[in-house]
Amino acid sequence: MNKNKIDYLLLGRVLALAKPYRKVFILAGILTALLAPLAILRPYIIKIMVDDYIFKFDIPGLTNMAMLLGFILMIEVALRYVFIYSTSWLGQSVIKDLRVRMFNHISSLRLSYFDTTPIGTSTTRTINDIETINTVFSQGAITIIADLFTVFAVLTIMLITSWKLTLVCLTTLPFLMIATYIFKEKVKISYQKVRTQITRMNAFLQERISGMRIVQVFNAEEKELEKFKNINRKYTQANLDAILYYAVFFPVVEIISAAALGLLVWWGARGVIGGEVTTGTFIAFPIYLSMLFRPIRMLADRFNTLQMGLVASERVFNLLDKNDIIENNGTIKKESIAGDVEFDNVSFAYNNIDHVLNSLNFKINAGETLAICGSTGSGKTTIINILNRFYDIQKGKILIDDVNIRDYELFDLRKKIAIVLQDVFLFSGSVMENITLRDDRISEKEVIDAAKLIGAHEFIERLPNGYNYQVMERGATLSMGQRQLISFVRALVFNPDILILDEATSSIDPESESVIQYAIEKLIDKRTSIIIAHRLSTIRHADNIMVLNKGEIVELGAHDALIEIENGQYKELYEMQFMQLES
């Protein structure tokens, strides 16, 4: 009972998605009410033609009735075309809006969601599950109502025409209802398995294709192939189970329909001979019977389609209802900021338990550069994440220009901060599109000027088609240094007040390092900058260097001062790298 209640609530929520298209929805409802009586008119007219015109040899009257039948048929065809088109159009319009809503919601979620959820799962929700919701409109709720209208209309006209013949035909109906119910329940379970398996397959494929380089490097192709075969086998079996139930159900329905027709012929022929049933009624009833059994047979499939649409909608709504987003309650917007950054007793944990940062206190004056170094897991990247409010801190305050970052409007805050990551992500598209991110406010001249300032213009011009060179997915056709330079130009054209470089030189070869270092110097000029680096040679000119260990500041000061600290951690790291370079 509770499950049915949830289904009705879900159905109501899905149908509410059609609110912007209520006129089309109402039109579909009106057509549903019109098509049922129109459908039953055809056999009824045939009955009249036989009884009142054919046996009375009334050719003019028969011709008029034939013309009426043709006219009604044309109207029914036209209305059914409009019905099918409008319900399909309604479904496509709803899922078009829902896809946009879903993408917008996913893009607003905290990064913690992406840390714990496979990309393939989100892809399935956005594409496959939403596509399934379309069937609620095109093949589900409205069509079910239309079929039910047809069933009741046919039963009514059959009872009016000959209640005895109707009862004879309905003797097989209980068997049809039982078969339909069993089929509906079995297919529902198999479809749920199909949805689960396709989610697993999408997640597996996305992850393995993205990581194909690692798979091939470690010769893991055969092992991954076996895993895929296993997932594919389960997915195929789930589909085969559904096919099996269809293969059993439809022949059973045909047998039941044939039995009903046999009873109809047996009883109807006796009625015609005995004068209880007219010849027209006897001819019309097989048509009525076909019109009665067809929607009943299809109802099972329609209910399963509706059920699968509701299962998919539940998954979609669960994601849309996920409130794991950064609260954007700030109201402060500024044209520009000076760039003073202060961490005041900041503590943070990704899981609210194990703290990555512990009571952190430091300040960066406007225009200064702070370099951060430390071992893996010391909290360097976490500082970047919380400064941009990708995650919210549990304790303390982060101030920019003496204003709590929570008081800034979120998107305005992020406009003031640019990040260049170690792993540069480039989208499929031109170099120009990757730099501007399709922001129409950035002109081509601004891009070229920024590229010249960074030192990237020459290499971009050497590419085929220059700035219109088509970058493949993730920038696979470019070197690491080239991708990094493009990311620098991208950061510069957005003219940030605060710049963050997260190990931007760690994967660069020595030949490219001098070019990248020049680009970094141009980027950080007259900007508040935070540089995270393993290569200490690239940060020795920073105003201050902060050494982190397990989320706490161990040392903080200029390069020359830190080198003078006896047994200092920075000195030890620097000398270790210097010795490696010497060797």
PDB file of all heavy atoms in Angstrom, residues 70-103:
ATOM      1  N   GLY A  70     -16.222   5.987 -43.841  1.00  0.00           N
ATOM      2  CA  GLY A  70     -14.940   6.525 -44.312  1.00  0.00           C
ATOM      3  C   GLY A  70     -14.614   7.863 -43.673  1.00  0.00           C
ATOM      4  O   GLY A  70     -13.456   8.137 -43.321  1.00  0.00           O
ATOM      5  N   PHE A  71     -15.636   8.706 -43.522  1.00  0.00           N
ATOM      6  CA  PHE A  71     -15.448  10.017 -42.906  1.00  0.00           C
ATOM      7  C   PHE A  71     -14.994   9.876 -41.442  1.00  0.00           C
ATOM      8  O   PHE A  71     -14.064  10.549 -40.996  1.00  0.00           O
ATOM      9  CB  PHE A  71     -16.750  10.813 -42.990  1.00  0.00           C
ATOM     10  CG  PHE A  71     -16.684  12.177 -42.354  1.00  0.00           C
ATOM     11  CD1 PHE A  71     -15.929  13.200 -42.935  1.00  0.00           C
ATOM     12  CD2 PHE A  71     -17.356  12.430 -41.172  1.00  0.00           C
ATOM     13  CE1 PHE A  71     -15.862  14.450 -42.336  1.00  0.00           C
ATOM     14  CE2 PHE A  71     -17.286  13.674 -40.565  1.00  0.00           C
ATOM     15  CZ  PHE A  71     -16.530  14.693 -41.146  1.00  0.00           C
ATOM     16  N   ILE A  72     -15.682   8.991 -40.723  1.00  0.00           N
ATOM     17  CA  ILE A  72     -15.313   8.755 -39.312  1.00  0.00           C
ATOM     18  C   ILE A  72     -13.892   8.192 -39.220  1.00  0.00           C
ATOM     19  O   ILE A  72     -13.112   8.569 -38.338  1.00  0.00           O
ATOM     20  CB  ILE A  72     -16.329   7.796 -38.654  1.00  0.00           C
ATOM     21  CG1 ILE A  72     -17.678   8.493 -38.498  1.00  0.00           C
ATOM     22  CG2 ILE A  72     -15.819   7.305 -37.297  1.00  0.00           C
ATOM     23  CD1 ILE A  72     -18.787   7.583 -38.015  1.00  0.00           C
ATOM     24  N   LEU A  73     -13.557   7.309 -40.158  1.00  0.00           N
ATOM     25  CA  LEU A  73     -12.211   6.712 -40.162  1.00  0.00           C
ATOM     26  C   LEU A  73     -11.141   7.776 -40.368  1.00  0.00           C
ATOM     27  O   LEU A  73     -10.105   7.777 -39.702  1.00  0.00           O
ATOM     28  CB  LEU A  73     -12.133   5.645 -41.252  1.00  0.00           C
ATOM     29  CG  LEU A  73     -10.829   4.837 -41.321  1.00  0.00           C
ATOM     30  CD1 LEU A  73     -10.599   4.073 -40.031  1.00  0.00           C
ATOM     31  CD2 LEU A  73     -10.861   3.875 -42.503  1.00  0.00           C
ATOM     32  N   MET A  74     -11.400   8.712 -41.295  1.00  0.00           N
ATOM     33  CA  MET A  74     -10.429   9.787 -41.554  1.00  0.00           C
ATOM     34  C   MET A  74     -10.272  10.688 -40.327  1.00  0.00           C
ATOM     35  O   MET A  74      -9.157  11.104 -39.985  1.00  0.00           O
ATOM     36  CB  MET A  74     -10.864  10.607 -42.766  1.00  0.00           C
ATOM     37  CG  MET A  74     -10.646   9.897 -44.093  1.00  0.00           C
ATOM     38  SD  MET A  74     -10.900  10.988 -45.529  1.00  0.00           S
ATOM     39  CE  MET A  74     -12.664  11.273 -45.406  1.00  0.00           C
ATOM     40  N   ILE A  75     -11.395  10.992 -39.669  1.00  0.00           N
ATOM     41  CA  ILE A  75     -11.321  11.817 -38.456  1.00  0.00           C
ATOM     42  C   ILE A  75     -10.515  11.096 -37.378  1.00  0.00           C
ATOM     43  O   ILE A  75      -9.665  11.692 -36.708  1.00  0.00           O
ATOM     44  CB  ILE A  75     -12.740  12.144 -37.941  1.00  0.00           C
ATOM     45  CG1 ILE A  75     -13.462  13.070 -38.917  1.00  0.00           C
ATOM     46  CG2 ILE A  75     -12.675  12.778 -36.559  1.00  0.00           C
ATOM     47  CD1 ILE A  75     -14.894  13.365 -38.534  1.00  0.00           C
ATOM     48  N   GLU A  76     -10.794   9.788 -37.235  1.00  0.00           N
ATOM     49  CA  GLU A  76     -10.065   9.013 -36.216  1.00  0.00           C
ATOM     50  C   GLU A  76      -8.573   8.970 -36.513  1.00  0.00           C
ATOM     51  O   GLU A  76      -7.747   9.120 -35.614  1.00  0.00           O
ATOM     52  CB  GLU A  76     -10.628   7.591 -36.153  1.00  0.00           C
ATOM     53  CG  GLU A  76      -9.989   6.771 -35.025  1.00  0.00           C
ATOM     54  CD  GLU A  76     -10.466   5.331 -35.009  1.00  0.00           C
ATOM     55  OE1 GLU A  76     -11.399   4.993 -35.775  1.00  0.00           O
ATOM     56  OE2 GLU A  76      -9.901   4.532 -34.242  1.00  0.00           O
ATOM     57  N   VAL A  77      -8.231   8.772 -37.778  1.00  0.00           N
ATOM     58  CA  VAL A  77      -6.810   8.743 -38.163  1.00  0.00           C
ATOM     59  C   VAL A  77      -6.145  10.079 -37.847  1.00  0.00           C
ATOM     60  O   VAL A  77      -5.035  10.126 -37.289  1.00  0.00           O
ATOM     61  CB  VAL A  77      -6.664   8.403 -39.661  1.00  0.00           C
ATOM     62  CG1 VAL A  77      -5.227   8.667 -40.135  1.00  0.00           C
ATOM     63  CG2 VAL A  77      -7.033   6.951 -39.921  1.00  0.00           C
ATOM     64  N   ALA A  78      -6.818  11.173 -38.199  1.00  0.00           N
ATOM     65  CA  ALA A  78      -6.251  12.505 -37.949  1.00  0.00           C
ATOM     66  C   ALA A  78      -6.077  12.759 -36.455  1.00  0.00           C
ATOM     67  O   ALA A  78      -5.020  13.240 -36.007  1.00  0.00           O
ATOM     68  CB  ALA A  78      -7.151  13.575 -38.569  1.00  0.00           C
ATOM     69  N   LEU A  79      -7.127  12.421 -35.683  1.00  0.00           N
ATOM     70  CA  LEU A  79      -7.048  12.647 -34.235  1.00  0.00           C
ATOM     71  C   LEU A  79      -5.991  11.760 -33.586  1.00  0.00           C
ATOM     72  O   LEU A  79      -5.287  12.183 -32.666  1.00  0.00           O
ATOM     73  CB  LEU A  79      -8.415  12.396 -33.591  1.00  0.00           C
ATOM     74  CG  LEU A  79      -9.525  13.396 -33.934  1.00  0.00           C
ATOM     75  CD1 LEU A  79     -10.814  13.023 -33.214  1.00  0.00           C
ATOM     76  CD2 LEU A  79      -9.109  14.821 -33.571  1.00  0.00           C
ATOM     77  N   ARG A  80      -5.862  10.504 -34.064  1.00  0.00           N
ATOM     78  CA  ARG A  80      -4.862   9.606 -33.482  1.00  0.00           C
ATOM     79  C   ARG A  80      -3.452  10.094 -33.813  1.00  0.00           C
ATOM     80  O   ARG A  80      -2.536   9.975 -32.997  1.00  0.00           O
ATOM     81  CB  ARG A  80      -5.070   8.177 -33.978  1.00  0.00           C
ATOM     82  CG  ARG A  80      -4.289   7.146 -33.162  1.00  0.00           C
ATOM     83  CD  ARG A  80      -4.829   5.751 -33.381  1.00  0.00           C
ATOM     84  NE  ARG A  80      -6.193   5.592 -32.907  1.00  0.00           N
ATOM     85  CZ  ARG A  80      -6.520   5.379 -31.636  1.00  0.00           C
ATOM     86  NH1 ARG A  80      -5.576   5.346 -30.704  1.00  0.00           N
ATOM     87  NH2 ARG A  80      -7.773   5.229 -31.296  1.00  0.00           N
ATOM     88  N   TYR A  81      -3.293  10.643 -35.024  1.00  0.00           N
ATOM     89  CA  TYR A  81      -1.984  11.220 -35.382  1.00  0.00           C
ATOM     90  C   TYR A  81      -1.647  12.361 -34.436  1.00  0.00           C
ATOM     91  O   TYR A  81      -0.530  12.426 -33.886  1.00  0.00           O
ATOM     92  CB  TYR A  81      -2.009  11.726 -36.818  1.00  0.00           C
ATOM     93  CG  TYR A  81      -0.878  12.679 -37.138  1.00  0.00           C
ATOM     94  CD1 TYR A  81       0.417  12.212 -37.376  1.00  0.00           C
ATOM     95  CD2 TYR A  81      -1.088  14.065 -37.157  1.00  0.00           C
ATOM     96  CE1 TYR A  81       1.460  13.087 -37.645  1.00  0.00           C
ATOM     97  CE2 TYR A  81      -0.054  14.939 -37.429  1.00  0.00           C
ATOM     98  CZ  TYR A  81       1.222  14.442 -37.666  1.00  0.00           C
ATOM     99  OH  TYR A  81       2.244  15.310 -37.916  1.00  0.00           O
ATOM    100  N   VAL A  82      -2.602  13.261 -34.205  1.00  0.00           N
ATOM    101  CA  VAL A  82      -2.374  14.391 -33.303  1.00  0.00           C
ATOM    102  C   VAL A  82      -2.109  13.894 -31.890  1.00  0.00           C
ATOM    103  O   VAL A  82      -1.221  14.410 -31.185  1.00  0.00           O
ATOM    104  CB  VAL A  82      -3.582  15.354 -33.314  1.00  0.00           C
ATOM    105  CG1 VAL A  82      -3.382  16.476 -32.297  1.00  0.00           C
ATOM    106  CG2 VAL A  82      -3.785  15.935 -34.704  1.00  0.00           C
ATOM    107  N   PHE A  83      -2.832  12.859 -31.464  1.00  0.00           N
ATOM    108  CA  PHE A  83      -2.646  12.295 -30.128  1.00  0.00           C
ATOM    109  C   PHE A  83      -1.238  11.724 -29.949  1.00  0.00           C
ATOM    110  O   PHE A  83      -0.538  12.036 -28.978  1.00  0.00           O
ATOM    111  CB  PHE A  83      -3.693  11.208 -29.877  1.00  0.00           C
ATOM    112  CG  PHE A  83      -3.520  10.483 -28.570  1.00  0.00           C
ATOM    113  CD1 PHE A  83      -3.877  11.074 -27.367  1.00  0.00           C
ATOM    114  CD2 PHE A  83      -2.981   9.200 -28.539  1.00  0.00           C
ATOM    115  CE1 PHE A  83      -3.707  10.406 -26.161  1.00  0.00           C
ATOM    116  CE2 PHE A  83      -2.809   8.525 -27.347  1.00  0.00           C
ATOM    117  CZ  PHE A  83      -3.164   9.130 -26.148  1.00  0.00           C
ATOM    118  N   ILE A  84      -0.821  10.896 -30.894  1.00  0.00           N
ATOM    119  CA  ILE A  84       0.509  10.273 -30.804  1.00  0.00           C
ATOM    120  C   ILE A  84       1.608  11.333 -30.860  1.00  0.00           C
ATOM    121  O   ILE A  84       2.564  11.307 -30.076  1.00  0.00           O
ATOM    122  CB  ILE A  84       0.698   9.229 -31.930  1.00  0.00           C
ATOM    123  CG1 ILE A  84      -0.257   8.051 -31.713  1.00  0.00           C
ATOM    124  CG2 ILE A  84       2.139   8.728 -31.963  1.00  0.00           C
ATOM    125  CD1 ILE A  84      -0.285   7.065 -32.866  1.00  0.00           C
ATOM    126  N   TYR A  85       1.448  12.277 -31.786  1.00  0.00           N
ATOM    127  CA  TYR A  85       2.475  13.317 -31.936  1.00  0.00           C
ATOM    128  C   TYR A  85       2.537  14.210 -30.693  1.00  0.00           C
ATOM    129  O   TYR A  85       3.617  14.534 -30.206  1.00  0.00           O
ATOM    130  CB  TYR A  85       2.206  14.165 -33.175  1.00  0.00           C
ATOM    131  CG  TYR A  85       3.284  15.183 -33.452  1.00  0.00           C
ATOM    132  CD1 TYR A  85       4.429  14.831 -34.169  1.00  0.00           C
ATOM    133  CD2 TYR A  85       3.182  16.500 -32.976  1.00  0.00           C
ATOM    134  CE1 TYR A  85       5.428  15.758 -34.411  1.00  0.00           C
ATOM    135  CE2 TYR A  85       4.179  17.426 -33.216  1.00  0.00           C
ATOM    136  CZ  TYR A  85       5.301  17.056 -33.933  1.00  0.00           C
ATOM    137  OH  TYR A  85       6.300  17.964 -34.156  1.00  0.00           O
ATOM    138  N   SER A  86       1.373  14.602 -30.182  1.00  0.00           N
ATOM    139  CA  SER A  86       1.344  15.529 -29.043  1.00  0.00           C
ATOM    140  C   SER A  86       1.917  14.880 -27.780  1.00  0.00           C
ATOM    141  O   SER A  86       2.648  15.528 -27.029  1.00  0.00           O
ATOM    142  CB  SER A  86      -0.074  16.027 -28.782  1.00  0.00           C
ATOM    143  OG  SER A  86      -0.944  14.956 -28.481  1.00  0.00           O
ATOM    144  N   THR A  87       1.588  13.586 -27.540  1.00  0.00           N
ATOM    145  CA  THR A  87       2.135  12.914 -26.355  1.00  0.00           C
ATOM    146  C   THR A  87       3.644  12.723 -26.480  1.00  0.00           C
ATOM    147  O   THR A  87       4.382  12.896 -25.501  1.00  0.00           O
ATOM    148  CB  THR A  87       1.450  11.558 -26.134  1.00  0.00           C
ATOM    149  OG1 THR A  87       1.509  10.776 -27.336  1.00  0.00           O
ATOM    150  CG2 THR A  87       0.010  11.741 -25.718  1.00  0.00           C
ATOM    151  N   SER A  88       4.114  12.392 -27.676  1.00  0.00           N
ATOM    152  CA  SER A  88       5.564  12.238 -27.898  1.00  0.00           C
ATOM    153  C   SER A  88       6.269  13.586 -27.777  1.00  0.00           C
ATOM    154  O   SER A  88       7.338  13.693 -27.168  1.00  0.00           O
ATOM    155  CB  SER A  88       5.835  11.618 -29.268  1.00  0.00           C
ATOM    156  OG  SER A  88       5.270  10.339 -29.356  1.00  0.00           O
ATOM    157  N   TRP A  89       5.668  14.631 -28.360  1.00  0.00           N
ATOM    158  CA  TRP A  89       6.241  15.982 -28.264  1.00  0.00           C
ATOM    159  C   TRP A  89       6.284  16.429 -26.812  1.00  0.00           C
ATOM    160  O   TRP A  89       7.269  17.038 -26.369  1.00  0.00           O
ATOM    161  CB  TRP A  89       5.401  16.951 -29.085  1.00  0.00           C
ATOM    162  CG  TRP A  89       5.936  18.354 -29.117  1.00  0.00           C
ATOM    163  CD1 TRP A  89       6.806  18.879 -30.029  1.00  0.00           C
ATOM    164  CD2 TRP A  89       5.639  19.406 -28.188  1.00  0.00           C
ATOM    165  NE1 TRP A  89       7.075  20.190 -29.725  1.00  0.00           N
ATOM    166  CE2 TRP A  89       6.380  20.547 -28.595  1.00  0.00           C
ATOM    167  CE3 TRP A  89       4.842  19.491 -27.057  1.00  0.00           C
ATOM    168  CZ2 TRP A  89       6.328  21.748 -27.903  1.00  0.00           C
ATOM    169  CZ3 TRP A  89       4.792  20.703 -26.367  1.00  0.00           C
ATOM    170  CH2 TRP A  89       5.518  21.806 -26.783  1.00  0.00           C
ATOM    171  N   LEU A  90       5.225  16.131 -26.076  1.00  0.00           N
ATOM    172  CA  LEU A  90       5.169  16.501 -24.664  1.00  0.00           C
ATOM    173  C   LEU A  90       6.297  15.815 -23.880  1.00  0.00           C
ATOM    174  O   LEU A  90       6.996  16.458 -23.087  1.00  0.00           O
ATOM    175  CB  LEU A  90       3.809  16.095 -24.085  1.00  0.00           C
ATOM    176  CG  LEU A  90       3.540  16.455 -22.618  1.00  0.00           C
ATOM    177  CD1 LEU A  90       3.539  17.959 -22.421  1.00  0.00           C
ATOM    178  CD2 LEU A  90       2.202  15.859 -22.172  1.00  0.00           C
ATOM    179  N   GLY A  91       6.480  14.509 -24.125  1.00  0.00           N
ATOM    180  CA  GLY A  91       7.541  13.780 -23.438  1.00  0.00           C
ATOM    181  C   GLY A  91       8.912  14.334 -23.763  1.00  0.00           C
ATOM    182  O   GLY A  91       9.748  14.526 -22.870  1.00  0.00           O
ATOM    183  N   GLN A  92       9.187  14.606 -25.038  1.00  0.00           N
ATOM    184  CA  GLN A  92      10.496  15.132 -25.439  1.00  0.00           C
ATOM    185  C   GLN A  92      10.737  16.531 -24.855  1.00  0.00           C
ATOM    186  O   GLN A  92      11.857  16.852 -24.453  1.00  0.00           O
ATOM    187  CB  GLN A  92      10.595  15.181 -26.961  1.00  0.00           C
ATOM    188  CG  GLN A  92      10.696  13.825 -27.625  1.00  0.00           C
ATOM    189  CD  GLN A  92      11.955  13.078 -27.255  1.00  0.00           C
ATOM    190  OE1 GLN A  92      13.007  13.665 -26.976  1.00  0.00           O
ATOM    191  NE2 GLN A  92      11.864  11.766 -27.228  1.00  0.00           N
ATOM    192  N   SER A  93       9.697  17.343 -24.807  1.00  0.00           N
ATOM    193  CA  SER A  93       9.838  18.697 -24.249  1.00  0.00           C
ATOM    194  C   SER A  93      10.138  18.642 -22.756  1.00  0.00           C
ATOM    195  O   SER A  93      10.976  19.400 -22.246  1.00  0.00           O
ATOM    196  CB  SER A  93       8.560  19.506 -24.495  1.00  0.00           C
ATOM    197  OG  SER A  93       8.303  19.637 -25.865  1.00  0.00           O
ATOM    198  N   VAL A  94       9.460  17.728 -22.055  1.00  0.00           N
ATOM    199  CA  VAL A  94       9.679  17.588 -20.613  1.00  0.00           C
ATOM    200  C   VAL A  94      11.101  17.142 -20.324  1.00  0.00           C
ATOM    201  O   VAL A  94      11.788  17.709 -19.473  1.00  0.00           O
ATOM    202  CB  VAL A  94       8.655  16.598 -20.005  1.00  0.00           C
ATOM    203  CG1 VAL A  94       9.084  16.176 -18.598  1.00  0.00           C
ATOM    204  CG2 VAL A  94       7.272  17.222 -19.962  1.00  0.00           C
ATOM    205  N   ILE A  95      11.578  16.115 -21.036  1.00  0.00           N
ATOM    206  CA  ILE A  95      12.926  15.605 -20.727  1.00  0.00           C
ATOM    207  C   ILE A  95      14.008  16.572 -21.213  1.00  0.00           C
ATOM    208  O   ILE A  95      15.112  16.590 -20.659  1.00  0.00           O
ATOM    209  CB  ILE A  95      13.143  14.193 -21.308  1.00  0.00           C
ATOM    210  CG1 ILE A  95      13.113  14.186 -22.833  1.00  0.00           C
ATOM    211  CG2 ILE A  95      12.123  13.226 -20.740  1.00  0.00           C
ATOM    212  CD1 ILE A  95      13.506  12.844 -23.435  1.00  0.00           C
ATOM    213  N   LYS A  96      13.685  17.390 -22.240  1.00  0.00           N
ATOM    214  CA  LYS A  96      14.644  18.432 -22.644  1.00  0.00           C
ATOM    215  C   LYS A  96      14.883  19.395 -21.489  1.00  0.00           C
ATOM    216  O   LYS A  96      16.027  19.711 -21.148  1.00  0.00           O
ATOM    217  CB  LYS A  96      14.104  19.192 -23.854  1.00  0.00           C
ATOM    218  CG  LYS A  96      14.984  20.344 -24.318  1.00  0.00           C
ATOM    219  CD  LYS A  96      14.224  21.280 -25.236  1.00  0.00           C
ATOM    220  CE  LYS A  96      13.139  22.028 -24.496  1.00  0.00           C
ATOM    221  NZ  LYS A  96      12.444  23.045 -25.315  1.00  0.00           N
ATOM    222  N   ASP A  97      13.799  19.855 -20.871  1.00  0.00           N
ATOM    223  CA  ASP A  97      13.920  20.759 -19.719  1.00  0.00           C
ATOM    224  C   ASP A  97      14.578  20.063 -18.535  1.00  0.00           C
ATOM    225  O   ASP A  97      15.367  20.666 -17.803  1.00  0.00           O
ATOM    226  CB  ASP A  97      12.539  21.271 -19.307  1.00  0.00           C
ATOM    227  CG  ASP A  97      11.892  22.131 -20.378  1.00  0.00           C
ATOM    228  OD1 ASP A  97      12.614  22.591 -21.284  1.00  0.00           O
ATOM    229  OD2 ASP A  97      10.668  22.344 -20.314  1.00  0.00           O
ATOM    230  N   LEU A  98      14.239  18.783 -18.359  1.00  0.00           N
ATOM    231  CA  LEU A  98      14.760  18.044 -17.208  1.00  0.00           C
ATOM    232  C   LEU A  98      16.261  17.814 -17.333  1.00  0.00           C
ATOM    233  O   LEU A  98      16.983  17.856 -16.334  1.00  0.00           O
ATOM    234  CB  LEU A  98      14.030  16.701 -17.083  1.00  0.00           C
ATOM    235  CG  LEU A  98      14.190  15.949 -15.757  1.00  0.00           C
ATOM    236  CD1 LEU A  98      13.782  16.825 -14.577  1.00  0.00           C
ATOM    237  CD2 LEU A  98      13.368  14.665 -15.780  1.00  0.00           C
ATOM    238  N   ARG A  99      16.746  17.580 -18.555  1.00  0.00           N
ATOM    239  CA  ARG A  99      18.187  17.408 -18.756  1.00  0.00           C
ATOM    240  C   ARG A  99      18.938  18.685 -18.368  1.00  0.00           C
ATOM    241  O   ARG A  99      19.980  18.627 -17.716  1.00  0.00           O
ATOM    242  CB  ARG A  99      18.489  17.071 -20.216  1.00  0.00           C
ATOM    243  CG  ARG A  99      18.193  15.650 -20.617  1.00  0.00           C
ATOM    244  CD  ARG A  99      18.858  15.321 -21.950  1.00  0.00           C
ATOM    245  NE  ARG A  99      18.193  14.208 -22.590  1.00  0.00           N
ATOM    246  CZ  ARG A  99      17.325  14.312 -23.578  1.00  0.00           C
ATOM    247  NH1 ARG A  99      16.997  15.511 -24.029  1.00  0.00           N
ATOM    248  NH2 ARG A  99      16.770  13.250 -24.116  1.00  0.00           N
ATOM    249  N   VAL A 100      18.414  19.829 -18.804  1.00  0.00           N
ATOM    250  CA  VAL A 100      19.042  21.111 -18.462  1.00  0.00           C
ATOM    251  C   VAL A 100      19.039  21.307 -16.953  1.00  0.00           C
ATOM    252  O   VAL A 100      20.050  21.706 -16.354  1.00  0.00           O
ATOM    253  CB  VAL A 100      18.310  22.280 -19.157  1.00  0.00           C
ATOM    254  CG1 VAL A 100      18.861  23.618 -18.674  1.00  0.00           C
ATOM    255  CG2 VAL A 100      18.437  22.165 -20.670  1.00  0.00           C
ATOM    256  N   ARG A 101      17.906  21.005 -16.333  1.00  0.00           N
ATOM    257  CA  ARG A 101      17.791  21.141 -14.881  1.00  0.00           C
ATOM    258  C   ARG A 101      18.773  20.210 -14.162  1.00  0.00           C
ATOM    259  O   ARG A 101      19.413  20.602 -13.181  1.00  0.00           O
ATOM    260  CB  ARG A 101      16.354  20.814 -14.479  1.00  0.00           C
ATOM    261  CG  ARG A 101      16.077  20.933 -12.981  1.00  0.00           C
ATOM    262  CD  ARG A 101      14.616  20.597 -12.716  1.00  0.00           C
ATOM    263  NE  ARG A 101      14.360  20.387 -11.310  1.00  0.00           N
ATOM    264  CZ  ARG A 101      13.227  19.893 -10.834  1.00  0.00           C
ATOM    265  NH1 ARG A 101      12.244  19.567 -11.674  1.00  0.00           N
ATOM    266  NH2 ARG A 101      13.066  19.714  -9.540  1.00  0.00           N
ATOM    267  N   MET A 102      18.899  18.989 -14.673  1.00  0.00           N
ATOM    268  CA  MET A 102      19.806  18.019 -14.064  1.00  0.00           C
ATOM    269  C   MET A 102      21.256  18.466 -14.201  1.00  0.00           C
ATOM    270  O   MET A 102      22.027  18.421 -13.233  1.00  0.00           O
ATOM    271  CB  MET A 102      19.618  16.651 -14.722  1.00  0.00           C
ATOM    272  CG  MET A 102      20.599  15.587 -14.233  1.00  0.00           C
ATOM    273  SD  MET A 102      20.318  15.113 -12.518  1.00  0.00           S
ATOM    274  CE  MET A 102      19.062  13.868 -12.731  1.00  0.00           C
ATOM    275  N   PHE A 103      21.642  18.908 -15.386  1.00  0.00           N
ATOM    276  CA  PHE A 103      23.035  19.354 -15.590  1.00  0.00           C
ATOM    277  C   PHE A 103      23.349  20.553 -14.711  1.00  0.00           C
ATOM    278  O   PHE A 103      24.418  20.640 -14.110  1.00  0.00           O
ATOM    279  CB  PHE A 103      23.266  19.695 -17.060  1.00  0.00           C
ATOM    280  CG  PHE A 103      24.681  20.105 -17.366  1.00  0.00           C
ATOM    281  CD1 PHE A 103      25.672  19.164 -17.543  1.00  0.00           C
ATOM    282  CD2 PHE A 103      25.031  21.456 -17.442  1.00  0.00           C
ATOM    283  CE1 PHE A 103      26.981  19.536 -17.804  1.00  0.00           C
ATOM    284  CE2 PHE A 103      26.333  21.843 -17.697  1.00  0.00           C
ATOM    285  CZ  PHE A 103      27.307  20.880 -17.884  1.00  0.00           C
TER     286      PHE A 103
END
